[in-house]
Amino acid sequence: MADRHGAPRPGTRQGLGESLNRSYAMLLRHVYLLRGSWPRVLELAYWPVMQMILWGFITQFFTGHSEWVAQAAGLLLAAVLLWDVLFRAQLGVTLPFYEELYSRNLGHLFVSPLRPWELIASLLGISTLRTLIGVVPAALLAIPLYHYSIFTMGLPLIVFFVQLLVTGWALGLMISGLVLRFGLGAQSLAWVAIFALAPISGIYYPIEVLPAWLQPLALALPSAHVFEGMRAVLLDEGFHTGHFAAALALNLVYLVLGAALFMRVFALARERGLLLHSGE
Amino acid sequence: MAIEVSELTKNFGPATAVDAVSFDIATGSATALLGPNGAGKTTTLAMLLGLMTPTFGHIRVLGADMLRDRYAVLNRMNYASPYIDLPQRLTVRENLVVYGRLYGVRGLKARIHQLAEELELESLINRPYRELSAGQRTRVALAKALINEPELLLLDEPTASLDPDTGDRIRGWLEAYRAQTGATMVLASHNMPEVERLCDRVLMMRGGRIVDDGTPEGLRARYGRRNLEEVFLDVARHG
């Protein structure tokens, strides 16, 4: 069959370019959503800014009362900003996925040539965008408000940002998979699951503060290595390649696990007909 | 053949939704899956689309094995159903742009313009989908289903809950699309006049099985009934 213009009708184009085009289409879908709702964009930045303001005052207080914080006034502010990278990156995957469930759109998406991994790629893309929209204004506001620029960290900042972004992606994919499997009744996982990691990620304190039995668990998290590495940089101990390598390796493992879980649940969803009946 | 199905079976635990169904659908034909609620029509459509994996059986659509190679043909088919939706906060145009890109449509802007004109969507094109009435949403869903000029169009109750005027327009557009393109259509419907108007073949389903197969005229004659609704009631109540 030819189309109306006489051009041949090929099968679904399968090249990388076509895959990127489909992922871009899904990215565009979420950009349209943000573009059409300024309150959503403001909301993305609201919590990181509020957190930064709160921790800025705490830092000011501790700078005069704590020798440790006084060594590097940006310790707590950098920590809160980087923690928000992790949290926003995870929300950046799960919330756009929830949007598809809320709008009962999965059925339409998966009768189209969209592959599950192309959806995953688009979720990672929109997560990056949402994280930047959320965290960059807070980081910029910290400069006039507290005379602290996280950007002075330089190249390591990019490394920490990317590592935490990937950790957030991995968690986001796992949570999205669980919500696809168990339905929107489990959606609160997006907001609560990550806080189980917070105490053992060593965001505001070194891992050595934790009980000895808990430290191996902490070191199995990429985020713990990132925050240890961040403190090393801020306390002029230099860039710690050991923590960098550990975080990188762990992130790869968790990202593969997250993607594998999502793909497995997707296959299960096809078996059980969940794609047709997903939604509120 | 546009569709070849053999021994198609879907079990959900101990329940059998579709029970060893076999049928072929000729290219360019319009076929209705007809049957009472729970007959297995939507499940059969979902398996034809690759949205659901069968427990057993084989499906070939447009020459491709849908269990192994569905991505080879998914851009040549499309689907509309009132039971799945489009992103609510996106405008009609944004929805069509997203789906046009997903289907790899060339000349997308012109195609959207054409569909907006044909389906009388011009005045709605920049309105959010959530603000549309049921009839308007059905037109947009149909525009999405036609965005890639599918060779195979699968429709689940395409005019469910629409007023007679809107339903009639939708049926008219579907007839026109088939006449223009020679596309194959498969629809599940409870609307008998719609089936008689649009379809040249009816597969009657009950309890997950195909219990009869024929043209609307042939079925009426076989059951000695005046219309397809009476045939439907015979099949639904008495088998």
Side-chain angles (χ1 to χ4, degrees):
Chain A
M1 186 173 177
D3 68 16
R4 287 182 197 183
H5 312 291
R9 295 291 302 271
T12 299
R13 292 175 288 167
Q14 302 202 22
L16 180 64
E18 284 70 33
S19 281
L20 289 174
N21 193 35
R22 288 189 287 271
S23 291
Y24 176 70
M26 291 308 298
L27 188 66
L28 201 57
R29 176 248 191 277
H30 292 286
V31 170
Y32 284 150
L33 192 63
L34 288 176
R35 196 180 67 177
S37 174
W38 282 107
R40 274 172 192 261
V41 177
L42 290 175
E43 191 192 342
L44 285 178
Y46 175 79
W47 288 111
V49 167
M50 287 301 118
Q51 285 272 77
M52 181 276 296
I53 289 173
L54 176 68
W55 282 92
F57 284 125
I58 293 171
T59 297
Q60 283 186 340
F61 172 74
F62 275 121
T63 305
H65 294 77
S66 161
E67 195 182 320
W68 187 68
V69 175
Q71 286 179 71
L75 268 179
L76 297 179
L77 271 173
V80 74
L81 289 170
L82 285 174
W83 170 250
D84 257 321
V85 170
L86 173 55
F87 190 27
R88 301 295 137 190
Q90 180 250 296
L91 286 178
V93 172
T94 44
L95 298 189
F97 182 70
Y98 288 1
E99 288 285 349
E100 307 302 354
L101 296 173
Y102 295 149
S103 58
R104 300 192 307 148
N105 188 36
L106 282 185
H108 279 313
L109 288 181
F110 288 110
V111 299
S112 85
L114 180 74
R115 274 82 159 164
W117 70 263
E118 293 166 354
L119 175 68
I120 290 176
S122 73
L123 291 174
L124 304 190
I126 193 69
S127 164
T128 307
L129 185 65
R130 289 174 63 108
T131 304
L132 287 169
I133 292 172
V135 178
V136 168
L140 291 174
L141 269 176
I143 300 170
L145 289 180
Y146 300 113
H147 309 292
Y148 173 69
S149 172
I150 194 170
F151 304 105
T152 57
M153 231 188 282
L155 202 57
L157 175 66
I158 296 171
V159 173
F160 301 146
F161 178 88
V162 172
Q163 296 264 30
L164 290 171
L165 198 63
V166 176
T167 312
W169 291 347
L171 284 168
L173 289 174
M174 289 176 197
I175 292 167
S176 300
L178 291 173
V179 170
L180 180 58
R181 169 66 184 82
F182 296 107
L184 281 167
Q187 66 176 314
S188 60
L189 280 173
W191 292 275
V192 301
I194 201 159
F195 288 100
L197 306 184
I200 53 172
S201 284
I203 307 161
Y204 305 111
Y205 43 78
I207 294 301
E208 66 191 32
V209 168
L210 298 173
W213 62 269
L214 206 48
Q215 289 183 24
L217 198 62
L219 292 171
L221 296 176
S223 48
H225 293 280
V226 170
F227 288 109
E228 286 291 304
M230 175 204 74
R231 275 185 290 275
V233 169
L234 291 175
L235 294 170
D236 292 329
E237 294 167 9
F239 185 75
H240 199 298
T241 51
H243 284 306
F244 167 74
L248 185 66
L250 288 167
N251 265 330
L252 281 175
V253 170
Y254 287 121
L255 189 61
V256 168
L257 282 177
L261 177 72
F262 186 89
M263 297 291 276
R264 176 68 198 113
V265 173
F266 180 80
L268 197 69
R270 284 185 66 215
E271 261 175 61
R272 298 188 179 190
L274 301 177
L275 298 176
L276 205 55
H277 302 295
S278 60
E280 288 176 294
Chain B
M1 286 294 162
I3 299 175
E4 298 160 79
V5 169
S6 72
E7 297 294 312
L8 188 64
T9 303
K10 184 65 187 179
N11 296 330
F12 293 104
T16 299
V18 176
D19 190 2
V21 160
S22 298
F23 59 87
D24 293 338
I25 291 179
T27 302
S29 65
T31 303
L33 297 177
L34 208 59
N37 293 328
K41 308 182 297 290
T42 298
T43 304
T44 302
L45 280 184
M47 289 191 282
L48 292 178
L49 288 156
L51 269 184
M52 203 184 281
T53 47
T55 308
F56 183 75
H58 301 282
I59 308 169
R60 289 188 78 79
V61 173
L62 302 173
D65 182 335
M66 287 302 276
L67 300 182
R68 287 186 309 176
D69 203 17
R70 68 196 165 105
Y71 291 112
V73 291
L74 282 177
N75 77 333
R76 296 163 60 195
M77 48 200 285
N78 212 319
Y79 176 59
S81 163
Y83 305 113
I84 55 177
D85 232 324
L86 291 166
Q88 306 279 321
R89 291 183 174 82
L90 268 55
T91 65
V92 173
R93 185 194 304 278
E94 288 168 346
N95 268 302
L96 294 178
V97 167
V98 169
Y99 276 95
R101 283 181 166 274
L102 286 176
Y103 280 92
V105 174
R106 298 184 183 102
L108 182 57
K109 201 172 171 182
R111 180 65 182 147
I112 291 172
H113 180 75
Q114 181 189 20
L115 282 171
E117 204 172 79
E118 286 177 3
L119 301 178
E120 297 168 22
L121 292 170
E122 291 112 318
S123 62
L124 308 175
I125 200 83
N126 291 317
R127 283 179 59 188
Y129 181 78
R130 67 179 164 180
E131 290 178 6
L132 306 183
S133 68
Q136 290 167 337
R137 285 180 181 212
T138 303
R139 278 150 61 194
V140 176
L142 188 59
K144 173 259 153 192
L146 299 180
I147 190 84
N148 58 328
E149 294 191 77
E151 292 167 57
L152 173 61
L153 185 58
L154 296 109
L155 304 160
D156 194 359
E157 303 192 36
T159 59
S161 74
L162 297 182
D163 66 66
D165 177 49
T166 310
D168 182 66
R169 283 165 184 263
I170 298 279
R171 287 188 278 276
W173 286 319
L174 289 172
E175 280 181 318
Y177 179 72
R178 189 179 160 217
Q180 283 166 15
T181 63
T184 308
M185 276 189 351
V186 179
L187 66 113
S189 178
H190 288 132
N191 186 320
M192 304 306 142
E194 174 172 284
V195 170
E196 292 195 76
R197 176 173 164 185
L198 290 179
C199 299
D200 38 42
R201 183 183 172 201
V202 177
L203 298 172
M204 303 288 292
M205 293 188 76
R206 193 166 61 94
R209 290 179 161 270
I210 291 177
V211 292
D212 216 332
D213 178 356
T215 62
E217 302 77 28
L219 288 169
R220 282 200 305 267
R222 195 177 310 156
Y223 286 80
R225 295 297 185 181
R226 288 170 299 172
N227 55 49
L228 210 50
E229 184 152 347
E230 290 179 358
V231 174
F232 177 91
L233 291 173
D234 272 358
V235 170
R237 291 175 182 172
H238 313 299

